[in-house]
Amino acid sequence: MGQHPDRYTSVVDVCVMLRRADGWALFSERANTGFSDGLLGIPGGRLEAGESLTAGAARELAEEVGVQVDPDSLTFVHVAHHYGEEWGARLGFFFEADAWKGEPVNREPDLCAGLHWVDLADLPDKTIPYVANVLTEIRAGKTLSLHGW
């Protein structure tokens, strides 16, 4: 078998909206990352080798905000195919969780300036544009979006 240098590859991100009964979701304020610092996004990060999408999403929640979720309880809500000059192509898989164990806390104070509960129907101006776009698509009932192509 030969190599296929033109085969498509992508970073895979997994993100989870923790949603309270009132519909508000947990956001984190980025800091010291070099990407969208000072802006708000939802917990998430890169999928690691050997992880399923839902296991990776649950791991990211535990690492970033200290809550435990059953990977099987996560609800898939969206996939975004994103492209940016500075980071290339990414696939972002978005999930929701409405039940978890523990209280959310900032477990990465070196990368996060704080946690905030946000009304998804009234996103703050300082929401990461990519995340705001995805959340708008989710509210419109869409499960796929393209961003930056």
Side-chain angles (χ1 to χ4, degrees):
M1 296 212 145
Q3 295 293 337
H4 299 280
D6 58 342
R7 277 219 174 135
Y8 180 80
T9 60
S10 180
V11 171
V12 175
D13 294 316
V14 287
C15 304
V16 182
M17 286 186 291
L18 289 183
R19 291 189 68 161
R20 298 188 313 204
D22 63 7
W24 287 42
L26 186 71
F27 279 55
S28 59
E29 184 175 340
R30 298 180 63 85
N32 306 313
T33 68
F35 172 73
S36 297
D37 290 337
L39 301 181
L40 299 174
I42 59 175
R46 289 185 181 187
L47 186 68
E48 294 180 356
E51 277 184 320
S52 69
L53 291 169
T54 52
R59 175 189 50 77
E60 284 291 341
L61 277 177
E63 289 176 0
E64 293 186 11
V65 299
V67 300
Q68 305 296 316
V69 296
D70 177 354
D72 292 335
S73 73
L74 294 173
T75 301
F76 167 78
V77 292
H78 197 80
V79 63
H81 195 192
H82 184 68
Y83 181 82
E85 286 296 325
E86 61 275 16
W87 57 80
R90 301 176 88 89
L91 287 169
F93 289 84
F94 291 78
F95 298 90
E96 286 185 0
D98 58 10
W100 57 87
K101 292 180 184 169
E103 274 302 308
V105 295
N106 183 0
R107 300 228 17 223
E108 297 182 328
D110 53 326
L111 301 174
C112 175
L115 301 178
H116 309 275
W117 289 100
V118 170
D119 181 354
L120 293 173
D122 187 21
L123 294 176
D125 290 339
K126 67 178 198 170
T127 302
I128 298 169
Y130 164 64
V131 173
N133 180 71
V134 166
L135 296 175
T136 298
E137 296 289 299
I138 291 169
R139 287 186 67 221
K142 297 182 180 177
T143 56
L144 170 68
S145 63
L146 302 177
H147 189 260
W149 290 96

